[in-house]
Amino acid sequence: MYRAWWKEGVVYQVYPRSFLDSNGDGVGDLQGITAKLDYLQGLGVNILWLCPVYRSPNYDNGYDISDYYSIMDEFGTMADWEELLSEVHQRGMKLIMDLVVNHTSDEHSWFVESRAARNSPYRDYYIWRPGKEDGSEPNNWASEFGGSAWEYDEKTGEYYLHLFSKKQPDLNWENKRLRREIYTMMTWWLDKGIDGFRMDVINLISKEPTLPDARRRGKGSLPWGREFYRNGPRLQYFLREMHAKVLSKYDIMTVGETPGVDPEKANLLVAEDRHELSMVFQFELLELDYQDGDKWKIIPWKLSDFKKIVNVWQERLEGTGWNSLFLNNHDQPRAVSRFGDDGTYRVQSAKMLATLVHTLQGTPYIYQGEEIGMTNVRFPDISYYRDIDTLNFYEEAIRSGLSPQEVLETIYARSRDNARTPMQWDDTESAGFTTGVPWLAINPNYQAIHVKENLANPESVFHYYQRLIQLRKERLVLVYGDYHLLLPQDEQLFAYLRTPNIKTGPGFSEKQLSEVRRAEDELFQDADQEKILVVLNFSKQPAVFVLPEKVKFQTDQLLLSNYPTRPETPTRLELRPFEARVYALK
Ligand code: NOJ
């Protein structure tokens, strides 16, 4: 395992539309972000990831790009963007851009040309097919946003594929000329000096070329067809080509958004000897409460299952690849509402979850507002919602006979707008986000939860994040050290050790691995070796932690806790609701 800036850094994800509006039009913008760089530097993060800021008609808030080379008018100008980049770099920070190349907007000039005629030179930039004999869709795949994944185009009498909305036609990566255009565009941005890309649904770019029908899932609903386009047959080829032609020429980080990867598939993408991506976002963890891969079907989750998933990813990528660590993003409900408690224990549980993210092996990601403990929102009716996925779901669910209240309950738990309500800067009108009318309503709890209060209060969620980030900078074992789960079956406690890294690698045989395990056991017992112990109470009830006997130490130092502390040795701890402790043992 080699050292890298993107392993030792902390990423902060900005959803520009909802961050800070500098000109009163109700939409966040680039100048707003620049104005808050000192705030972000004060938090301690050093890598910014900007969600898409390119020209877009905004049916999917910028994930439908109509020009890769221009800035969205609502966000400002290229000069604003250049200024942002330079201010970021002046502070010693890095800037990562979103790369959305599985699809474009249907308003992109390539698609406009493509749909103009069957013999257009751009026809093959997208995926066009004639209907079946009866004129129906070329196959039975569902769009991720509901309905069929195909749209019929009158003009040329064929269908085009769109895995997301019909305003987001999928690009045909089999076309060499298209790939070349994408590499040119990536190079253009990299030459401006950016520090990497977050790659939107990058493992969807290679489709099974015959586009076969998928097996139906239950009555009525169309099958996803995901087995034919996630991690498709030419994915590795495309990524290696991209790496050779573009990525390898720069010192950058890349993180691929990859729904439906397990650690084996992820290793194919991130293994250090393969030269494809630095990291991936996996969703096994955040889909643990989905039924049959459907986010709108909510099932209860158990801490033991949560730990099992974290554990597998920590162990399987150890020594070969690198984890990305996150519980939030712009597509997910707020973690404190989902895995913590956004009522009585909001502050404690927000800090406890942060402790998890910042003390595992991998690179931590903070999604805007997470650092002040922002929560989900419950708007009174559907007219408040803006997210295309939420609106489509609402319409379909009402059509199927559910009442508005029933549908809203699901939306409260799952809507992407939970993460997209504007950033809460202070307790003035519109939370200091805008002087105009916000594009999406502010969460009504803004008078209690906002940045200004967090900055003034030394016990705030913000200051806890600051300490966590600082701790990771001071102790490299938190970045690179090995991870060992304790108490795997416990349904209240998540506890683990981080120990100095013992080298393992992809080529290790079972025999070598068992030697490594023996060496690790010795490490636990070697009181001279410093180990970090993390104990997290994931429940509203008190919990007792007993340190397994094999872990030996002589001195202990409490590095961090989310409650006022009391003297206790970590061999036996009584933890309060959502309590988190981090100890150095030696
Ligand atoms: C994943 C993005 O994170 C999400 O916001 C978007 O809707 C889809 N990809 C389609 O681009």
Side-chain angles (χ1 to χ4, degrees):
M1 193 196 308
Y2 63 90
R3 286 184 67 168
W5 59 263
W6 46 266
K7 294 181 179 173
E8 293 172 27
V10 174
V11 181
Y12 188 92
Q13 181 191 352
V14 177
Y15 195 68
R17 209 172 180 75
S18 301
F19 194 63
L20 180 64
D21 172 20
S22 72
N23 63 357
D25 65 356
V27 174
D29 47 44
L30 294 171
Q31 288 194 15
I33 303 169
T34 306
K36 290 295 179 186
L37 290 179
D38 288 341
Y39 164 77
L40 296 175
Q41 196 176 28
L43 176 60
V45 299
N46 56 351
I47 305 167
L48 297 195
W49 150 28
L50 284 195
C51 283
V53 296
Y54 316 95
R55 179 156 297 159
S56 161
N58 277 312
Y59 284 86
D60 190 19
N61 290 354
Y63 284 95
D64 49 329
I65 297 171
S66 54
D67 181 358
Y68 289 107
Y69 293 92
S70 306
I71 298 293
M72 187 190 304
D73 289 338
E74 286 172 311
F75 288 175
T77 61
M78 191 59 84
D80 294 332
W81 182 86
E82 302 275 2
E83 192 194 353
L84 172 63
L85 178 69
S86 132
E87 292 288 328
V88 166
H89 283 165
Q90 266 175 44
R91 287 169 178 76
M93 297 160 89
K94 310 268 188 188
L95 188 72
I96 306 298
M97 296 287 278
D98 221 306
L99 180 77
V100 188
V101 290
N102 174 67
H103 46 269
T104 65
S105 161
D106 65 342
E107 297 179 30
H108 192 289
S109 61
W110 296 340
F111 191 74
V112 173
E113 297 277 343
S114 181
R115 82 186 327 173
R118 285 200 193 189
N119 64 359
S120 151
Y122 287 89
R123 186 68 167 180
D124 194 41
Y125 271 33
Y126 294 85
I127 302 172
W128 291 95
R129 291 288 184 281
K132 285 186 176 158
E133 261 168 35
D134 62 359
S136 64
E137 289 79 4
N139 72 26
N140 62 1
W141 300 357
S143 145
E144 294 283 339
F145 290 166
S148 167
W150 295 93
E151 180 71 9
Y152 184 68
D153 198 55
E154 289 283 337
K155 175 135 197 245
T156 54
E158 285 189 328
Y159 290 85
Y160 65 86
L161 180 70
H162 60 88
L163 295 179
F164 296 89
S165 83
K166 64 179 179 196
K167 299 280 295 172
Q168 293 163 293
D170 278 57
L171 286 164
N172 176 19
W173 272 71
E174 299 297 335
N175 183 306
K176 229 179 175 162
R177 199 156 61 93
L178 164 82
R179 298 207 299 277
R180 227 179 295 132
E181 295 227 39
I182 289 175
Y183 303 150
T184 305
M185 177 273 287
M186 291 172 72
T187 303
W188 189 80
W189 282 102
L190 286 164
D191 286 346
K192 280 182 172 289
I194 65 167
D195 304 291
F197 290 112
R198 174 268 187 189
M199 301 183 181
D200 192 62
V201 288
I202 197 68
N203 65 328
L204 270 46
I205 58 178
S206 163
K207 278 82 176 169
E208 167 60 46
T210 56
L211 306 174
D213 270 334
R215 227 177 318 124
R216 300 194 84 83
R217 49 171 174 139
K219 273 194 274 88
S221 35
L222 292 171
W224 298 115
R226 288 169 175 164
E227 62 276 34
F228 300 118
Y229 61 76
R230 284 179 169 183
N231 314 306
R234 295 241 288 160
L235 175 63
Q236 252 72 45
Y237 175 84
F238 296 150
L239 288 179
R240 283 181 172 216
E241 182 183 76
M242 179 196 284
H243 189 272
K245 295 206 181 317
V246 185
L247 306 176
S248 59
K249 307 191 171 139
Y250 303 85
D251 173 23
I252 53 171
M253 74 166 249
T254 51
V255 51
E257 188 207 24
T258 53
V261 297
D262 57 21
E264 278 61 49
K265 293 198 180 92
N267 260 323
L268 292 176
L269 301 169
V270 302
E272 291 177 349
D273 56 344
R274 292 183 60 94
H275 308 302
E276 289 174 29
L277 303 172
S278 318
M279 291 175 255
V280 294
F281 290 133
Q282 55 92 2
F283 293 93
E284 287 197 334
L285 185 62
L286 295 186
E287 292 182 1
L288 110 148
D289 54 358
Y290 289 16
Q291 191 177 28
D292 304 327
D294 186 342
K295 78 171 191 184
W296 300 109
K297 296 196 182 132
I298 308 171
I299 53 172
W301 62 279
K302 286 210 312 253
L303 184 62
S304 53
D305 291 334
F306 187 107
K307 290 193 282 193
K308 202 184 290 163
I309 299 171
V310 172
N311 199 47
V312 165
W313 280 88
Q314 288 286 299
E315 286 192 340
R316 299 276 170 78
L317 262 53
E318 161 65 45
T320 61
W322 193 249
N323 272 287
S324 56
L325 308 168
F326 67 104
L327 296 175
N328 291 275
N329 65 33
H330 63 293
D331 295 329
Q332 298 286 332
R334 292 280 180 181
V336 67
S337 301
R338 183 176 184 187
F339 300 118
D341 170 65
D342 62 9
T344 318
Y345 298 110
R346 183 185 65 84
V347 169
Q348 290 86 347
S349 63
K351 292 176 180 176
M352 185 278 289
L353 293 168
T355 314
L356 173 71
V357 170
H358 291 257
T359 59
L360 291 170
Q361 190 187 70
T363 299
Y365 288 73
I366 300 173
Y367 176 67
Q368 67 186 39
E370 179 185 333
E371 78 280 17
I372 57 166
M374 278 178 65
T375 69
N376 281 355
V377 71
R378 297 167 72 89
F379 288 131
D381 63 62
I382 194 67
S383 69
Y384 285 78
Y385 287 87
R386 297 286 173 270
D387 167 32
I388 185 172
D389 188 24
T390 305
L391 298 176
N392 287 351
F393 166 70
Y394 184 84
E395 216 178 275
E396 270 186 34
I398 294 290
R399 230 185 296 128
S400 79
L402 295 180
S403 72
Q405 204 47 45
E406 283 170 305
V407 186
L408 279 175
E409 284 304 324
T410 306
I411 287 177
Y412 294 155
R414 281 293 198 260
S415 172
R416 304 196 296 181
D417 281 340
N418 282 310
R420 299 176 181 185
T421 59
M423 188 66 186
Q424 295 164 201
W425 294 103
D426 59 38
D427 59 0
T428 62
E429 211 191 327
S430 296
F433 163 70
T434 181
T435 53
V437 180
W439 72 276
L440 171 66
I442 312 279
N443 190 321
N445 66 17
Y446 76 94
Q447 280 168 335
I449 305 170
H450 55 84
V451 169
K452 199 168 154 208
E453 189 279 332
N454 269 258
L455 290 177
N457 173 4
E459 297 308 319
S460 67
V461 179
F462 178 92
H463 284 114
Y464 190 86
Y465 267 87
Q466 234 180 4
R467 288 199 286 274
L468 266 174
I469 295 170
Q470 192 52 35
L471 196 60
R472 218 167 154 278
K473 283 184 190 150
E474 286 160 8
R475 301 202 177 233
L476 274 188
V477 65
L478 281 173
V479 179
Y480 294 107
D482 291 339
Y483 159 95
H484 314 271
L485 179 64
L486 306 171
L487 320 174
Q489 300 309 328
D490 197 298
E491 295 295 354
Q492 273 184 291
L493 292 174
F494 196 159
Y496 46 94
L497 287 172
R498 302 293 308 278
T499 57
N501 188 255
I502 297 181
K503 252 196 152 10
T504 47
F508 270 54
S509 64
E510 263 314 307
K511 187 160 164 260
Q512 284 167 314
L513 281 174
S514 74
E515 274 162 25
V516 166
R517 276 184 211 115
R518 229 190 344 267
E520 286 174 352
D521 275 353
E522 277 168 23
L523 244 179
F524 289 168
Q525 294 175 28
D526 181 354
D528 290 337
Q529 279 285 356
E530 185 174 271
K531 315 169 238 318
I532 304 286
L533 169 69
V534 180
V535 186
L536 310 170
N537 181 0
F538 258 73
S539 78
K540 267 189 200 170
Q541 277 73 45
V544 175
F545 168 77
V546 178
L547 186 69
E549 289 228 340
K550 64 178 177 187
V551 185
K552 304 280 188 248
F553 67 98
Q554 274 146 13
T555 58
D556 62 275
Q557 183 193 356
L558 182 63
L559 300 176
L560 195 61
S561 158
N562 61 349
Y563 273 87
T565 52
R566 45 193 185 196
E568 255 180 326
T569 63
T571 39
R572 186 179 186 283
L573 299 172
E574 287 183 18
L575 294 147
R576 289 155 280 190
F578 296 106
E579 184 158 1
R581 308 258 188 116
V582 183
Y583 287 93
L585 305 181
K586 203 169 169 175

